[in-house]
Amino acid sequence: MMFMTPQTALMIGIVAPLVTALLTPFLGVRANWRDVAGPIGAVITFVAALHVAGDVMQGGSPEWVLATLAPGIDLSFRVTELGAVFGLVASGLWILAGIYSVGYMRGNHEKHQTRFAAFYAVAVHAAMAVAWSGNLLVLFVFYEVLTFSTFPLVTHKDSKAARDAGRLYMSILVGTSVVLLLPAVIYVWVMTGRLDFVSGGILKDAVSSEVVPWLLAAFAFGIGKAALMPFHRWLPAAMVAPTPVSALLHAVAVVKAGVFTMLTVVVYVFGIDFLSASGGGTWLVWLTSFTILASSFVAITKDDLKARLAYSTISQLSYVVLGAALATSIAAQGAALHIVMHAAGKITLFFCAGAIYVACHLTKISDLDGQGPQMKWVFGAFFIGALSIIGIPPTGGSWSKFYLMVGAADAGMVFVLAVLSLSSLLNIYYLLDPVARAFFKPKTRQVEVEWHPLTVWPPVITAGISIGLFFYAGPFLDLASAMVTR
Amino acid sequence: MTLSQIIANLPGLVVAIPLLLAPVVALVPLSSLAWVLAVVGTGLSLICAVLIQGSVTGGASYSYFLGNWPPPWGIEFVVDAASALTVVIMSGLAFIATLFARQGLLAEIAEKDAGMAYAAWLLACGGLSGLVMTGDAFNLFVFLEISALSSVILIALGSGTDRRALVAGYNYLLIGAVGATFYVIGVGFIYAVTGSLNMADLAGRIPDVPQTTAVMVGFGFMMAGILVKAAIFPVHIWLPAAYSFAPSAVSALLAAIATKASLYVLARIMFTVFSGTPDVTAIAVEFVLIPLALGGIFVGTILAIYENDIKKLLAFSSVAQIGYIALAFGVASTAGVAAGFVHIGNHAVIKGGMFLAVGGFAIALGRRIDLDSMVGLGRRMPITTIGFLICGLSLIGLPLTAGFISKLYLVRALIEADMIFIMGLVLFSSALSVAYLWKIVEVLWHKPTVSTPVPETPGLYLPLWMLAIGNIWLGVAPAPLIEAAGRAAMQLVGGM
C-alpha cells in the first residue's frame, strides 16, 4: 500500500461503503454479484482503516475537507486516535458481518435482500463518517444519518411488531438527539466559537464549572445511542430486526457510535482534566453504575436470547460511558479499549444467536436445553464470546475491565470496583446459562438442524479474534494511551 | 435600449415583465403558447433577480425611481441585500413551479381557462415581487391587492376537481381584504402624522414626530394586516383551505412564495420603517410576535399530526414553518433575522418540492391524495416518491439537507440571545414534526392494494427533482445562502 497516502486512505474509507451501497441496487438482479460486493467493499474499507490507523499511530492526523457548513465549520473529516480505533472496529467487523448476513438472509429466505444490503452499507458508511468526523457538527450530522439509514433495517420484516419497534426506535433516537444533543453542540459552538477536536478539550476557559454537569447531562442523555437509562428502550425494541443487523449495528456500529461520541466529547471537547477538576461527572458515574446493574438484572429475566443479549449490551455500553465519566486517563483508556473488546465479544454472541435461529428456528433460551452437542462450534464460539464480555483471561475483555477498575481506583471511587465485580458475577450467571443448558441439560425438543455454512464460520472467527485481542492488544493500547497523552 | 439601460432598469423589470406579459397571455388562445410565455416571463424575471442579487453582493444598496420621479413623491424601489435575496428566492421558485405547470396545471383545469390561468399566475408572481421591491408604504398596498386578487383566481380554479376550492378562494378574498384594509388604515394613520409614504423617509420622520397614540395605532394596524397576509397564527385560517383546494401547481407556487413576501415585509416594516421607535417594536415582538409564532408552531404541528389529507397536512405544516420564520425575526438580533432569511429560502425549496410531489401523485392517480392513497407509492412511483422523501426529510431537519441548516441557525440565534426556554420549545416541536412526516414514510413502502406501476412523466418529476437536489445542495454547501442572509440581516437590523 505504498501508493496510498493517509489522506487517500481516509477518502477511500468514507466513500467505499457508500459506493457499495449505490452499486447494490444495480446488482440486485444478480444475487451472487450483489452478495460479493458487500464483503469486497468491507475489505477495501478495512484496508483503508488500517492504513489510516497506522498513520495516526505515527502521530499523523489525516484530513479531508469537503465543503463549508457554516463560517468556520467545515464538512470535514479528520482522524483522532479514538476515531482510528472505532474505524478499525466498524470496518473490520463489517467484513465478517457482511459474509454472515449473506448466509443468514439466504438461509432464512428473507425478502428484499437487495434493499437490506444497500441500507446495511449506508449504515456502515455513516458509522465510518462518525468515527472519522472532523468536528462535533459533522459528528452530529452522521450520527443522525446513521439513525435514519438503520430505520429500514429495523422495520425490515414489515410486520406490526416491526413497525411499532421502528416508531419507538425513531422517536427515542431522533427525539433525544434533536432536543438535547443538538443544542448542546450549538452551545459549545456559541461559547467557544469552534467545534474541532483538540486533545485536552476546548471548553476549559469558555464555560464555568457550574455549567459542566448540565452540559454533560445534555450530551449524555442526548446521545441516545449510548442507551443510558432511561433512554435505553429502543435497543431491545430494535432486536426485531434480522440478526445481522443486531450483530453489526446494534452491537457494534450504532451503539458504539453512541459511546464513541460520548467518549469523544469527554476527551476532546470537555477535556479529562477539566471534567475531573469541575467534578461535573460524578452524577454520571452513579447513573452508569445503576444502568450497569439494573440492565443486568433485567437481562436475567429474559428468556428470549436476543433480548437477553440486548440488555447485556445496555449494561456493557454503560461501562464505556462510566470510563468517560470517571475522568481519569486510565479510565478513559479502559473505555476506548472496551469499545473494541465488547464489539468482538458481543458480535460473536449475536452471530451465534442468528446461526441457531437459521439452523433450527429456536429463539428461547429454555428451548436450548441439550442442543449443544448438535451445534458444538456455535456454542463453543458463544462460550468464548461470553468469557470476553465477562472479562476472564485469556480474552480481550479482561484488558478493558482491568483498566476500568484501575481507573476507578485512581478516581477514588471505590464503590465502582464493587459495581464492576458484581456485574461480572451477574454476567457469568446470565451469559453462561445458555451454554450450560445446551451441554449439560437433557434435550427437551427434537429439532431438525439445517446449517448454512456462512452463518457458522463468522462467529468462530470472531471468537478467535476475542482470544487474539488478549495477546495482541498492543496497537489498541498504544492508540488509547496516545488519546490521553498527546 | 442599450445593455446598460437594461441593467439600470433591472429592479423595475423584475416586477414589470410578468405584469406586462399577463394581459398578453390572457389573450392567447393556445394553452401551450400561453405556458411558453409564462415560462419566458418568470424566466426573464429570474434572470433579472439573479443580476440584481449579483449587484448587491458587495454590500451595496441603491434605489430605483419609477418614471424617474424622485422620492418622497415618486415611487421608489429599494435594492439592497434583503430585498434582492428575497426576490431571487421567490423568482427562482416561481420559475420552477411554472415549469411544472405545463402538465400540472392543465391536468386540473379546463383547456379554455388556460390563458386566463397563466395570466393570473404571472400577475401573482409580479405582484409578489413588487411587494418585496417597493420602498413605498402605499405602493406596497397596491401590490398586496394585485397578488391577492390573482391568487384568489388561481385558488378558485381548483373548483374543476373539487368544488370546495370556491369557498376556499372566497374565504381568502374576504380575509385577505380585511388584512389589506387593516394595513392601509395603518398607513393612513402614519401618513396623517408624518405626511410621508416613502419607507426610508418615514424611518427618518417617525422618531421626530410626537410619540402620540396615532403612531402606535398606525403601527398596530399595519402589523395586524401583514400578520394576516403572512398567515401567522391565529390569523392563518385562510391558508389550509387555500393551499389544499387550489390546483396542485398553484399550491406549490403559493406555498413556496406567497407568504414569504409578506414575511419579508413584516421584517422590513418592523426593523426599518419603525427602527426609530424601538420601544414600540420591542413590545410588539415580545408580546405579539413571539407568542403567536410559538402558537403557530405548535398548533400547526399538532394539526398536521392528526391530518390525513396530505395537501392539508402540508398546509398545516406550513403554518408551523411560518411560525419558525416569524420566531426567528422575533429574536430581533442580526443572527435571528439572518436565521429567518435562511429559513425563508430553505422552506420555499422544501415545501415547494413537497407540493410538486403531491401534485405529481394526484395527477398520476387522478384523485385527491390522502394517507391511504400513499400506501405502496414507493414501489408504484419510485422517482416521485424519492423526490418527495428528500424534501420531507429536509422538512424535519435531517442533517445534510436544507432544513437542518435552518434549524441549526435558528437554535444558534436563540442560544446567543439567551432564550433557552423558547429554544427548548422549538426543539420539542421540531421532534414532534417527525411524527407527521413519519406516518407518511411508514406507508410508502407497504404492500399496496393495487401494485401496478404508475407511469411517471418527466414534465412532472423534473421540477420536483430540481428542488430535491436543491435541498441537498443547500444542506451540504449552504455558505452562499448563509452569507446572503447575513448581509440581509445586517441591512435590516445592523443599525440597531
Side-chain angles (χ1 to χ4, degrees), chain B residues 30-117:
Chain B
L30 216 63
S31 68
S32 54
L33 185 61
W35 173 73
V36 169
L37 285 175
V39 169
V40 169
T42 48
L44 285 176
S45 189
L46 173 61
I47 292 169
C48 294
V50 170
L51 290 173
I52 292 172
Q53 169 68 17
S55 70
V56 297
T57 42
S61 64
Y62 55 95
S63 296
Y64 173 78
F65 306 146
L66 285 191
N68 262 339
W69 291 89
W73 302 280
I75 292 169
E76 175 194 26
F77 275 13
V78 177
V79 181
D80 60 23
S83 63
L85 173 64
T86 315
V87 108
V88 92
I89 292 167
M90 284 171 36
S91 43
L93 266 297
F95 178 67
I96 290 173
T98 315
L99 292 181
F100 176 85
R102 169 82 185 95
Q103 285 166 332
L105 196 56
L106 280 183
E108 291 175 332
I109 64 168
E111 176 89 25
K112 66 177 170 52
D113 292 338
M116 292 304 229

Side-chain angles (χ1 to χ4, degrees), chain A residues 67-71 75 112 137 140-142 144 148 151 158 163 167 170 174 178-179 182-183 186-187 189-190, chain B residues 379 393 396 398-400 404 407-409 411-412 415-416 423 427 430-431 434 438 442 446 475-478 482:
Chain A
T68 303
L69 273 180
L75 179 53
H112 305 302
L137 191 63
F140 177 82
V141 164
F142 286 98
E144 293 290 69
F148 281 80
F151 174 80
D158 203 14
R163 279 200 292 280
R167 282 187 191 172
M170 288 302 288
V174 175
V178 167
V179 177
L182 180 63
I186 299 174
Y187 182 81
W189 183 22
V190 170
Chain B
R379 298 177 199 181
L393 291 174
I396 60 174
L398 177 72
L400 300 179
F404 175 65
K407 191 155 72 184
L408 184 66
Y409 278 86
V411 170
R412 197 193 140 105
I415 290 182
E416 279 183 344
M423 178 205 75
L427 289 170
S430 161
V434 178
W438 220 253
E442 277 184 351
H446 277 181
V476 174
I482 286 162

Side-chain angles (χ1 to χ4, degrees), chain A residues 170-381:
Chain A
M170 288 302 288
S171 46
I172 293 183
L173 290 184
V174 175
T176 52
S177 70
V178 167
V179 177
L180 292 169
L181 180 56
L182 180 63
V185 170
I186 299 174
Y187 182 81
V188 171
W189 183 22
V190 170
M191 297 312 282
T192 63
R194 59 195 291 191
L195 283 175
D196 52 336
F197 301 132
V198 180
S199 296
I202 55 176
L203 280 175
K204 197 174 172 190
D205 302 313
V207 299
S208 64
S209 32
E210 292 89 72
V211 181
V212 171
W214 298 100
L215 189 58
L216 189 68
F219 277 113
F221 294 118
I223 302 169
K225 290 195 172 90
L228 200 59
M229 282 182 175
F231 295 116
H232 64 286
R233 289 216 24 243
W234 63 271
L235 185 57
M239 292 301 136
V240 70
T243 308
V245 175
S246 311
L248 182 66
L249 299 172
H250 298 121
V252 180
V254 172
V255 291
K256 291 292 146 50
V259 290
F260 164 82
T261 307
M262 195 58 214
L263 193 54
T264 297
V265 164
V266 166
V267 172
Y268 298 107
V269 176
F270 280 93
I272 293 172
D273 295 336
F274 177 55
L275 182 61
S276 132
S278 73
T282 314
W283 68 270
L284 190 55
V285 173
W286 287 96
L287 182 64
T288 47
S289 298
F290 172 79
T291 306
I292 288 171
L293 294 180
S295 58
S296 284
F297 283 115
V298 177
I300 291 173
T301 66
K302 296 289 173 189
D303 189 33
D304 184 281
L305 183 54
K306 278 178 78 179
R308 184 174 286 191
L309 294 180
Y311 275 98
S312 159
T313 304
I314 294 171
S315 165
Q316 297 289 319
L317 291 173
S318 272
Y319 278 54
V320 182
V321 182
L322 170 71
L326 284 169
T328 67
S329 92
I330 304 278
Q333 292 181 49
L337 286 176
H338 201 60
I339 289 180
V340 183
M341 306 308 177
H342 174 251
K346 193 48 73 60
I347 201 171
T348 309
L349 300 187
F350 272 110
F351 279 167
C352 293
I356 295 167
Y357 179 71
V358 171
C360 50
H361 290 273
L362 293 181
T363 56
K364 289 203 173 3
I365 294 166
S366 49
D367 288 342
L368 294 179
D369 290 4
Q371 305 290 351
Q374 263 183 305
M375 303 186 236
K376 284 190 217 64
W377 287 100
V378 171
F379 280 101

Side-chain angles (χ1 to χ4, degrees), chain B residues 227-393:
Chain B
L227 291 184
V228 172
K229 286 292 183 179
I232 309 271
F233 170 85
V235 280
H236 66 282
I237 36 173
W238 57 269
L239 184 143
Y243 282 15
S244 59
F245 296 121
S248 305
V250 174
S251 303
L253 179 77
L254 294 183
I257 72 173
T259 51
K260 305 296 181 301
S262 300
L263 284 163
Y264 163 82
V265 170
L266 180 81
R268 178 121 235 155
I269 290 180
M270 242 174 19
F271 297 123
T272 62
V273 177
F274 287 90
S275 62
T277 55
D279 39 333
V280 177
T281 48
I283 292 170
V285 163
E286 195 180 336
F287 293 103
V288 181
L289 194 58
I290 291 180
L292 292 187
L294 287 171
I297 289 170
F298 277 95
V299 169
T301 306
I302 290 164
L303 286 176
I305 290 175
Y306 289 102
E307 182 58 59
N308 271 338
D309 184 272
I310 303 297
K311 276 177 91 176
K312 220 167 201 170
L313 182 152
L314 292 181
F316 285 133
S317 149
S318 279
V319 172
Q321 301 293 322
I322 289 166
Y324 287 120
I325 299 172
L327 180 69
F329 286 152
V331 178
S333 62
T334 319
V337 177
F341 275 104
V342 168
H343 200 43
I344 283 184
N346 286 341
H347 181 244
V349 179
I350 294 167
K351 208 41 84 55
M354 295 191 84
F355 271 108
L356 287 186
V358 175
F361 293 141
I363 292 162
L365 300 179
R367 57 176 291 189
R368 255 193 105 69
I369 299 299
D370 57 14
L371 203 56
D372 290 337
S373 46
M374 301 283 283
V375 175
L377 277 183
R379 298 177 199 181
R380 299 178 70 195
M381 301 179 67
I383 303 173
T384 314
T385 306
I386 292 170
F388 175 83
L389 197 60
I390 292 173
C391 298
L393 291 174

